[in-house]
Amino acid sequence: MNKLIKEVNEIIAVRVPPGDRWTFVNDTRKVIHNSLTETLESYFMVNKTKCEYRLAPMDSKLYVIKTVEEEIIPEPIREYNIYGDPM
């Protein structure tokens, strides 16, 4: 089976002005981390998985890049009769 690997960007944190302070989007306590490194370390300690990140500095957002495998289902071969009509 053929598989298609897609990358999905999921927002995890936003910058809190002024400076390099960040807070997680789904954190109900709204803890502010004092640097991007501290934010990444905190995310890793909670999730315990290695992953890649994307920083959008102009939008003040931090994303985690997740990969999703999708199975490509081939279309069935269309068969036609002698007159060109589908069977």
Side-chain angles (χ1 to χ4, degrees):
M1 292 284 174
N2 291 333
K3 293 185 180 181
L4 175 67
I5 298 175
K6 284 186 171 182
E7 288 188 351
V8 178
N9 293 326
E10 180 183 320
I11 187 167
I12 59 170
V14 293
R15 190 176 72 83
V16 179
D20 188 28
R21 301 176 334 144
W22 297 83
T23 186
F24 289 113
V25 174
N26 60 357
D27 186 10
T28 57
R29 298 177 296 149
K30 296 297 181 194
V31 175
I32 297 176
H33 301 278
N34 292 322
S35 70
L36 181 60
T37 306
E38 186 179 315
T39 307
L40 293 173
E41 183 177 352
S42 178
Y43 183 80
F44 177 76
M45 292 308 225
V46 169
N47 293 303
K48 304 286 187 202
T49 57
K50 293 180 182 178
C51 50
E52 303 217 8
Y53 303 96
R54 176 179 172 256
L55 176 64
M58 299 305 280
D59 291 333
S60 298
K61 295 178 182 170
L62 177 64
Y63 299 89
V64 64
I65 301 172
K66 295 183 177 183
T67 55
V68 178
E69 279 190 12
E70 292 182 355
E71 185 177 327
I72 299 175
I73 301 171
E75 291 186 24
I77 298 173
R78 298 181 90 186
E79 296 181 14
Y80 299 92
N81 63 16
I82 194 167
Y83 302 107
D85 297 326
M87 295 174 64

